[in-house]
């Protein structure tokens, strides 16, 4: 099925509105944060320059506005559900930015972000389908209870996985942009091969790509602004809920495998949910050569970055390029998964 | 190439997620409900055990891959 003119309008608006909001307001917002003294040290650079943070509230605002506009264009409940999830996860992140939540409180609070999705499905059973679509094998049966529990569990898992990919200039924005493209491809293939599905399920995913792309301009090396936990958690929660409403959970998981592995290796090496500021040792350190080195401390968490640096030190810019290349590879596997699921 | 081993680990994780999810939804979920009693009790317990085993298998394989990766780089040793 080819997209209609109305579909193209909906998709264009879904991209343009949040993209322009971030592009036009971010410089002013960063100056506002700096004036108020809301800055953090960029510890991976010589001299640890101060960078405005958190930009999360502006990113959340642009995502929510885009979803509300989408609701006006295509009046279904789904964009409002997405907006609610982004708001709750973003709020948890903002509390963490301002007051610092414990390693266990944050995941527990993030479960709340999944509640609007399950509640909306109970009252309006069109929000998601309680079945997984497998490549080649097709869909499983309906399992509402198991699926709903998985949705609630996925919020803290995915949002925290995104948060753990937020350590270097341009890492979270680039990672979110690439993975959202994989998501859009998966939902696009599904929507345009299943005539019964409305394009709104695709349009609701587009703001994530638009916002992360616009944010990348300010967040890439050398970063002019950081997103904070509010931005990273909102990105992660939105990714999870869009994957569920789009019915492309499988491809979505595959695209973020580097983040899942990163989280798993960190949690297993520090033995549980430990707030990063309370970890005994950092995974990397800035050498006198201004390059990032892998920590040799046995108690340092085993992050993906530390593993990459075992082969030798790298500049921050090159390190992020390597991480994004690995993410692009995972997105390629995700694209293969989507094609095997919806086309073949 | 620095990324090659991590790409292999990503591919293995992908393959395991694919296979294990299929096994879970197609073979384990249709087992009797876990509150069934009598002759179905053993099957119900098996259902929980198999689900747990799938998760453990994924974690164990990914953990082993990391172990071999780190060991091959000689970076797991503490500083002397």
């Amino acid at each position: 099925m080819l997209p209609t003119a109305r579909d193209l309008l909906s998709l264009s608006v879904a991209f343009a509105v949040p993209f322009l909001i971030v592009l036009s307001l971010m410089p002013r917002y960063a100056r506002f944060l700096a004036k108020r003294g809301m800055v953090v040290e960029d510890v991976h650079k010589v001299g640890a320059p101060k960078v405005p943070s958190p930009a999360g509230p502006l990113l959340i605002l642009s995502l929510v506005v885009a979803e509300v506009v989408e609701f006006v264009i295509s009046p279904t409940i789904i964009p409002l559900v997405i907006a609610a999830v982004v708001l709750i996860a973003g709020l948890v992140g903002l509390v963490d930015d301002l007051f610092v939540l414990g390693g266990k409180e944050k995941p527990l609070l993030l479960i709340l972000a999944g509640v609007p999705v399950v509640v909306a499905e109970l009252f309006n059973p069109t929000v998601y389908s309680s079945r997984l679509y497998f490549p080649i094998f097709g869909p499983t049966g309906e399992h509402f209870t198991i699926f709903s529990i998985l949705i609630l569990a996925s919020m803290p898992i995915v949002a925290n996985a995104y948060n753990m990919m937020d350590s270097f200039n341009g890492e979270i924005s680039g990672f979110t942009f690439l993975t959202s493209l994989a998501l859009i491809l998966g939902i696009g293939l599904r929507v345009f091969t299943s005539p019964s599905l409305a394009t709104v399920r695709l349009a609701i995913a587009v703001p994530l790509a638009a916002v992360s792309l616009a944010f990348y301009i300010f967040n890439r090396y050398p970063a002019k602004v950081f997103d904070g936990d509010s931005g990273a958690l909102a990105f992660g929660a939105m990714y999870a809920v869009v994957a569920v409403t789009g019915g492309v959970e499988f491809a979505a998981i595959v695209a973020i495998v580097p983040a899942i592995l990163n989280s798993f290796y960190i949690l297993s090496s520090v033995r549980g949910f430990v707030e990063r500021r309370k970890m005994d040792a950092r995974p990397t350190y800035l050498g006198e050569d201004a390059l990032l080195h892998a920590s040799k401390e046995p108690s340092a968490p085993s992050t993906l970055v530390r593993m990459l640096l075992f082969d030798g030190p790298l500049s921050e810019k090159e390190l992020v390029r390597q991480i994004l290349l690995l993410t692009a590879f995972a997105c390629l596997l995700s694209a293969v998964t989507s094609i095997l699921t919806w086309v073949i | 190439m620095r990324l090659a081993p991590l790409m292999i680990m990503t591919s293995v994780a992908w393959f395991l997620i694919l296979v294990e999810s299929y096994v879970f939804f197609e073979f384990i979920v249709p087992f009797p409900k876990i509150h069934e009693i009598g002759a179905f009790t053993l099957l119900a317990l098996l259902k929980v055990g198999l689900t747990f085993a799938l998760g453990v298998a994924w974690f164990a394989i990914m953990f082993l891959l990391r172990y071999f990766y780190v060991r091959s780089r000689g970076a797991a040793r503490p500083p002397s």
Side-chain angles (χ1 to χ4, degrees):
Chain A
M1 187 185 83
L2 287 172
T4 63
R6 188 186 167 84
D7 292 340
L8 291 176
L9 172 74
S10 171
L11 294 171
S12 308
V13 170
F15 185 87
V17 169
F19 185 84
L20 292 175
I21 290 176
V22 175
L23 204 62
S24 58
L25 294 184
M26 191 57 82
R28 248 177 278 181
Y29 183 67
R31 282 198 295 275
F32 166 80
L33 289 172
K35 263 186 199 168
R36 297 212 152 204
M38 298 177 81
V39 290
V40 292
E41 287 184 349
D42 190 346
V43 293
H44 299 119
K45 289 190 182 64
V46 177
K50 301 248 194 287
V51 177
S53 178
L58 181 61
L59 303 176
I60 294 164
L61 176 80
S62 53
L63 290 171
V64 170
V65 168
E67 295 302 335
V68 171
V69 169
E70 204 50 48
F71 172 70
V72 173
I73 296 173
S74 315
T76 75
I77 195 173
I78 301 172
L80 295 184
V81 172
I82 309 284
V85 170
V86 170
L87 271 176
I88 295 171
L91 199 62
V92 173
L94 197 58
V95 172
D96 193 36
D97 283 331
L98 299 176
F99 306 108
V100 184
L101 289 167
K104 290 189 181 73
E105 286 88 358
K106 200 162 43 176
L108 287 174
L109 284 171
L110 282 168
I111 292 175
L112 294 175
V115 172
V117 193
V118 178
V119 171
E121 175 68 13
L122 281 172
F123 289 98
N124 181 355
T126 57
V127 176
Y128 60 85
S129 153
S130 305
R131 55 177 72 207
L132 271 181
Y133 289 83
F134 279 89
I136 303 166
F137 305 114
T140 63
E142 291 264 353
H143 302 288
F144 179 77
T145 310
I146 293 175
F147 209 83
S148 301
I149 292 169
L150 288 177
I151 288 172
L152 294 174
S154 72
M155 292 297 156
I157 293 171
V158 179
N160 270 310
Y162 266 67
N163 202 16
M164 288 176 184
M165 295 294 280
D166 190 12
S167 302
F168 299 94
N169 292 187
E171 189 184 8
I172 185 70
S173 46
F175 177 79
T176 307
F177 178 65
L178 289 173
T179 51
S180 62
L181 287 186
L183 202 60
I184 288 168
L185 176 76
I187 300 173
L189 286 176
R190 187 180 178 205
V191 165
F192 295 117
T193 52
S194 322
S196 60
L197 277 178
T199 318
V200 67
R201 287 180 199 269
L202 178 60
I204 55 167
V206 173
L208 190 59
V211 169
S212 52
L213 180 63
F215 181 51
Y216 182 76
I217 295 167
F218 304 101
N219 184 237
R220 69 185 167 179
Y221 184 92
K224 293 172 184 66
V225 64
F226 290 150
D227 56 333
D229 285 3
S230 46
L233 294 180
F235 278 159
M238 177 156 175
Y239 183 83
V241 69
V242 167
V244 168
T245 56
V248 294
E249 299 84 355
F250 217 93
I253 291 170
V254 173
I256 61 165
V257 159
I260 294 172
L261 288 180
N262 185 46
S263 310
F264 164 59
Y265 291 147
I266 292 173
L267 294 177
S268 62
S269 59
V270 300
R271 296 173 200 280
F273 292 99
V274 180
E275 216 284 322
R276 67 180 164 200
R277 298 165 190 91
K278 290 179 181 162
M279 286 178 183
D280 293 338
R282 298 188 69 85
T284 60
Y285 67 93
L286 187 65
E288 287 177 359
D289 50 5
L291 297 177
L292 289 161
H293 296 248
S295 169
K296 294 278 195 289
E297 287 291 326
S299 61
S302 278
T303 62
L304 208 59
V305 164
R306 189 176 174 219
M307 290 166 72
L308 263 171
L309 292 174
F310 281 154
D311 277 349
L314 284 175
S315 67
E316 186 180 10
K317 197 175 177 182
E318 177 57 24
L319 177 65
V320 171
R321 199 181 74 86
Q322 297 273 331
I323 294 167
L324 295 183
L325 270 174
L326 184 65
T327 306
F329 176 72
C331 290
L332 195 69
L333 292 180
S334 169
V336 172
T337 308
S338 293
I339 291 168
L340 288 174
T341 309
W342 305 113
V343 180
I344 295 176
Chain B
M1 189 184 165
R2 191 185 286 250
L3 274 179
L6 293 173
M7 284 178 170
I8 292 170
M9 286 163 78
T10 303
S11 305
V12 172
W14 171 60
F15 184 71
L16 285 175
I17 292 171
L18 195 84
V19 173
E20 290 195 354
S21 303
Y22 181 75
V23 170
F24 176 71
F25 277 94
E26 283 304 311
F27 299 106
I28 299 179
V29 170
F31 271 40
K33 291 179 178 173
I34 53 173
H35 55 72
E36 295 276 6
I37 53 168
F40 288 122
T41 306
L42 274 181
L43 277 178
L45 287 175
L46 189 64
K47 183 178 186 175
V48 177
L50 284 174
T51 306
F52 187 71
L54 282 180
V56 170
W58 193 88
F59 283 114
I61 291 168
M62 298 322 297
F63 199 81
L64 272 176
L65 285 176
R66 186 194 66 170
Y67 173 76
F68 288 124
Y69 174 81
V70 171
R71 213 174 70 154
S72 71
R73 261 70 187 160
R77 291 189 303 269
S80 54

